[in-house]
């Protein structure tokens, strides 16, 4: 019978320890490889979906820029029309406003001079009552003041 020395037992223990360690490392590397494959597939899928979305976004931005350019052109046209209308209004007011006011005042003066003063132009006198803050005060009380 052969006896096993302490060094041989230690060697067997080290060999078993290394075998177990290598097995754990192989399992961990296999799982890491699966995770990397899944990550690669996920990145590829995201890229496949992101490229068309970016193209659509670019088209939408171009369309929005075109619409903004159109609105800007319309706004500048409206501003020009507004300034033209203001200038026209000022011209009409200065051309016709002064003379029309003078003609109207002249006509009123002529009517007053020719027609005399009508009875309805004269304000009617009250029959002896005054209204003060919502109440009627008799004429006799007014005279005492």
């Amino acid at each position: 019978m052969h006896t096993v020395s302490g060094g041989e037992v230690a060697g067997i223990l080290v060999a078993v320890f290394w075998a177990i360690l290598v097995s754990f490392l192989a399992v961990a590397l296999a799982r890491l490889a699966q995770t990397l494959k899944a990550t690669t597939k996920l990145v590829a899928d995201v890229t496949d979906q992101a490229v068309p979305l970016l193209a659509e976004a670019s088209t939408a931005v171009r369309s929005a820029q075109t619409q903004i350019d159109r609105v800007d052109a319309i706004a500048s046209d409206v501003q020009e029309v507004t300034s033209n209308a203001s200038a026209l209004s000022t011209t009409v007011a200065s051309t016709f406003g002064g003379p029309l006011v003078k003609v109207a005042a002249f006509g009123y003066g002529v009517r007053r001079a020719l027609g005399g003063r009508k009875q309805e132009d004269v304000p009617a006198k009250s029959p002896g009552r005054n209204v003060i803050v919502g109440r009627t005060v008799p004429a006799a009380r007014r005279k005492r003041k």
Side-chain angles (χ1 to χ4, degrees):
M1 191 171 241
H2 180 32
T3 60
V4 180
S5 69
E8 290 174 342
V9 171
I12 291 174
L13 286 175
V14 169
V16 169
F17 173 74
W18 279 108
I20 292 172
L21 181 64
V22 167
S23 298
F24 281 129
L25 288 175
V27 169
L29 286 175
R31 288 188 180 175
L32 180 63
Q34 288 176 351
T35 303
L36 287 175
K37 283 181 186 177
T39 304
T40 303
K41 184 179 182 300
L42 179 66
V43 168
D45 291 344
V46 167
T47 302
D48 289 344
Q49 292 177 2
V51 170
L53 288 176
L54 289 174
E56 289 176 14
S58 177
T59 303
V61 167
R62 280 192 214 106
S63 174
Q65 182 62 39
T66 303
Q67 295 301 323
I68 287 173
D69 291 342
R70 288 180 184 168
V71 168
D72 188 36
I74 290 170
S76 65
D77 291 344
V78 166
Q79 184 179 7
E80 184 178 341
V81 167
T82 302
S83 65
N84 289 343
S86 175
L88 180 64
S89 172
T90 303
T91 303
V92 168
S94 65
T95 303
F96 297 113
L100 284 178
V101 169
K102 291 177 183 176
V103 167
F106 179 74
Y108 178 75
V110 168
R111 272 187 285 143
R112 292 284 297 224
L114 294 179
R117 198 166 172 177
K118 293 182 181 177
Q119 189 67 352
E120 53 199 43
D121 289 342
V122 178
K125 291 194 176 189
S126 63
R129 294 185 174 189
N130 288 340
V131 177
I132 300 175
V133 191
R135 316 185 287 163
T136 303
V137 179
R141 285 186 64 191
R142 277 187 280 127
K143 292 179 182 175
R144 286 188 217 167
K145 287 186 181 180

